[in-house]
Amino acid sequence: MNKCLLILFSLCCIPLWSQQTFNVLDYGAVADTAVLSTRGIQAAIDACAAKGGGTVVIPAGNYLSGTVVLKSHVNLHMESGATLYASRRAEDFQTGSRALTATDKTTAEMLIGATDACNISVSGRGTLHGRAVRESYRREAATTTPADSVTGREVANAVRYGADYRTKIRRVPPSPGIINFTGCTDVSIRDVQVVESAFWSVHLQDCERVNVDGLYIASDRHNGVNADGLDIDACRYVTVSNCRIDTGDDALCLKTTRSAKASPCKAITVTNCILTSSSAALKIGTESHADFEDITVSNCVISGANRGLNMIVRDGGTVRNVLFSNLVIRTVRKETFWWGNGDPLWFTIQQRDGHPTGGGIENVVIDNVIAYGQSGIRMEGFSNRLKNVRLSRVQLFMEPEAAVDKRSRNAFLFDGIDGLSLTDCSVHWNERHPEPTWESAYLFRRIDGLKLEDVEGTKAPGSKYEAFRYENCVMTDD
């Protein structure tokens, strides 16, 4: 068949609904933030869905809205210059049909939502603005430090140094997230800007076949508590690429929350992203009620984060088959109320709520990483042992802490691992501005099957400790 005729035939076969556009201004929306446009935007979406699908266009201008719900086969397109602002009235929002349980300490209020829909998308160069409001408060002084608390030792350390650990930030309701899709299939979020969400900015829960590309997410670095950037929660077959996420709370987080249907996170790829956070730049956990499997993170820059790469497993799930490669990481200690020590990597298993083991971490490869940290790289199996962890071509540069309560001790700390391999790894201390708390380049504790090849490190400046320390370790030549 003639090539031109083939192309023409293909174009003619595109379903008519995919070419349909519905302008929200034609359905009662008003480009005026003094007027609530929820009904007009929803009417355009409903009309589009009733016609079989298409594109709902929000033209340039400023709009005010409560919750709008996407329907199957609908693309919500934000034109350049369009900004959709979240209302500050609680009655203007609705929650998802699969709200999380109280133990997950979340709400499911949302600006744009969808449940059990297929072939939905949000696109364009416009902006979704959460209009978050927050306030500071003082919590009570700590009288005891729970032995199993993830942050217990940091609080105890702050008390010892006299640092202010009591000033906190909290959200002022209403606290909607901006995008919340639950149980959806064939999801695309592309190019939009998502700023100042009061809660998790983009929450994808129990979704399948998801593509996130070119997204910009930002929240206040100092005050943005709970304003996670992108939360991938119990989703399968997800690609995340070319995103810039700069948040107060976790930037990009994989979770398996205890929802109405706890499913695994599986087949996730993240590439070509730049991440900044006052908490964790990229985290697997803390909610880990189901497994995480087959995950790759590559060609990313983590800049100015409190923590770089994190696996925090507490609820019984297992993280397995994960590859981190070609990364540059710079971490910086944030205010004391934020979790984190300026550590480029922190992997930990520690049970909570009576779970016998907390879960597992196994089959992890970290390759070709340059990391600058105000604390070190830590992997700690508090309640269960990590298994089969391999690091290669990892350069760690130890920098002084910009905080009163010094937390940094060892450059690399490994505790409780079966099968640990380090190849071509090195530690570089800041000789001009050393910390008096620095100890060893490498501290290995309770390691069964330790293999070191071309691993370099010297004593920390002024330290009484050896560069390499071993406590209850078994070496292997395999």
Side-chain angles (χ1 to χ4, degrees):
M1 181 181 291
N2 182 279
K3 184 176 181 180
C4 292
L5 290 177
L6 179 61
I7 293 173
L8 180 61
F9 176 78
S10 299
L11 290 173
C12 291
C13 290
I14 296 175
L16 290 178
W17 64 260
S18 67
Q19 303 175 51
Q20 299 179 126
T21 61
F22 298 77
N23 191 316
V24 297
L25 297 178
D26 296 333
Y27 291 84
V30 179
D32 183 348
T33 56
V35 178
L36 194 66
S37 289
T38 310
R39 290 184 178 179
I41 298 171
Q42 189 63 60
I45 293 171
D46 294 345
C48 181
K51 293 288 187 178
T55 298
V56 172
V57 176
I58 298 183
N62 298 322
Y63 304 82
L64 183 69
S65 182
T67 299
V68 294
V69 179
L70 283 188
K71 305 293 180 65
S72 293
H73 311 300
V74 173
N75 169 34
L76 182 64
H77 184 76
M78 303 284 300
E79 286 191 343
S80 180
T83 301
L84 185 63
Y85 290 94
S87 168
R88 287 299 305 163
R89 301 192 311 172
E91 58 268 30
D92 293 332
F93 296 99
Q94 55 183 279
T95 59
S97 63
R98 298 188 199 172
L100 307 182
T101 66
T103 57
D104 288 309
K105 300 178 181 178
T106 65
T107 65
E109 291 176 330
M110 54 194 173
L111 179 60
I112 300 174
T115 301
D116 299 329
C118 64
N119 189 22
I120 59 172
S121 59
V122 179
S123 66
R125 297 287 182 178
T127 301
L128 301 169
H129 199 300
R131 299 178 68 207
V133 176
R134 306 177 182 97
E135 63 184 7
S136 62
Y137 70 99
R138 295 275 288 176
R139 63 180 178 183
E140 294 183 3
T143 55
T144 60
T145 302
D148 64 346
S149 172
V150 170
T151 58
R153 60 186 176 187
E154 282 81 3
V155 171
N157 196 56
V159 172
R160 183 164 56 250
Y161 280 93
D164 178 17
Y165 69 94
R166 296 174 61 187
T167 299
K168 299 276 284 184
I169 306 294
R170 61 188 170 199
R171 297 168 285 138
V172 177
S175 305
I178 292 182
I179 297 176
N180 187 320
F181 294 159
T182 301
C184 297
T185 305
D186 292 322
V187 174
S188 175
I189 304 174
R190 192 180 188 93
D191 296 333
V192 294
Q193 300 188 57
V194 178
V195 299
E196 279 306 318
S197 180
F199 193 60
W200 297 352
S201 301
V202 178
H203 182 196
L204 305 174
Q205 183 183 21
D206 194 25
C207 293
E208 190 163 308
R209 298 198 299 269
V210 176
N211 180 40
V212 179
D213 186 36
L215 198 60
Y216 174 75
I217 302 177
S219 63
D220 189 288
R221 290 188 189 178
H222 179 269
N223 297 322
V225 294
N226 300 125
D228 291 12
L230 173 60
D231 287 291
I232 300 169
D233 180 1
C235 295
R236 284 84 56 203
Y237 313 111
V238 179
T239 60
V240 180
S241 57
N242 309 312
C243 294
R244 173 71 177 108
I245 305 178
D246 183 351
T247 56
D249 227 309
D250 301 332
L252 199 165
C253 189
L254 278 61
K255 302 173 179 288
T256 50
T257 53
R258 184 159 52 192
S259 60
K261 179 183 179 183
S263 301
C265 251
K266 185 175 182 180
I268 314 290
T269 68
V270 178
T271 190
N272 300 342
C273 294
I274 301 174
L275 308 174
T276 299
S277 171
S278 289
S279 191
L282 192 150
K283 184 169 77 173
I284 298 177
T286 302
E287 294 90 339
S288 46
H289 297 277
D291 293 345
F292 304 82
E293 298 179 326
D294 307 340
I295 298 162
T296 69
V297 179
S298 63
N299 304 328
C300 292
V301 172
I302 292 173
S303 176
N306 204 351
R307 285 177 173 156
L309 302 177
N310 297 253
M311 292 185 190
I312 305 176
V313 179
R314 307 201 65 192
D315 304 313
T318 294
V319 181
R320 62 171 64 89
N321 307 335
V322 181
L323 172 60
F324 298 108
S325 63
N326 301 338
L327 307 174
V328 176
I329 303 173
R330 288 183 180 269
T331 53
V332 179
R333 282 277 307 276
K334 306 294 184 179
E335 293 87 351
T336 302
F337 69 82
W338 285 111
W339 290 1
N341 303 319
D343 29 17
L345 282 81
W346 185 43
F347 298 172
T348 179
I349 306 170
Q350 184 173 358
Q351 86 274 25
R352 63 179 167 189
D353 296 334
H355 193 278
T357 66
I361 296 174
E362 58 189 44
N363 306 338
V364 178
V365 173
I366 301 161
D367 178 59
N368 201 23
V369 174
I370 299 174
Y372 289 78
Q374 294 185 347
S375 187
I377 289 174
R378 297 186 296 158
M379 299 186 184
E380 301 170 293
F382 290 114
S383 59
N384 197 16
R385 297 173 67 83
L386 290 76
K387 299 178 181 178
N388 189 24
V389 178
R390 298 174 180 269
L391 291 81
S392 62
R393 298 186 295 170
V394 177
Q395 301 179 63
L396 174 59
F397 295 81
M398 293 291 289
E399 298 295 325
E401 296 180 78
V404 174
D405 52 328
K406 305 300 182 182
R407 299 178 184 174
S408 183
R409 298 292 183 270
N410 301 283
F412 285 86
L413 166 63
F414 303 96
D415 186 354
I417 303 176
D418 294 331
L420 173 64
S421 171
L422 276 68
T423 303
D424 191 14
C425 295
S426 60
V427 174
H428 308 269
W429 305 99
N430 188 315
E431 300 280 351
R432 290 187 176 182
H433 304 285
E435 290 288 2
T437 57
W438 284 347
E439 297 180 2
S440 296
Y442 300 88
L443 173 56
F444 302 97
R445 288 177 176 154
R446 302 185 303 127
I447 310 298
D448 189 356
L450 173 62
K451 181 178 181 180
L452 306 179
E453 182 177 354
D454 296 328
V455 177
E456 300 177 356
T458 61
K459 294 177 62 172
S463 174
K464 65 180 180 180
Y465 297 96
E466 296 299 320
F468 290 75
R469 280 194 287 165
Y470 306 90
E471 301 175 4
N472 300 319
C473 294
V474 178
M475 306 292 290
T476 181
D477 294 326
D478 295 338

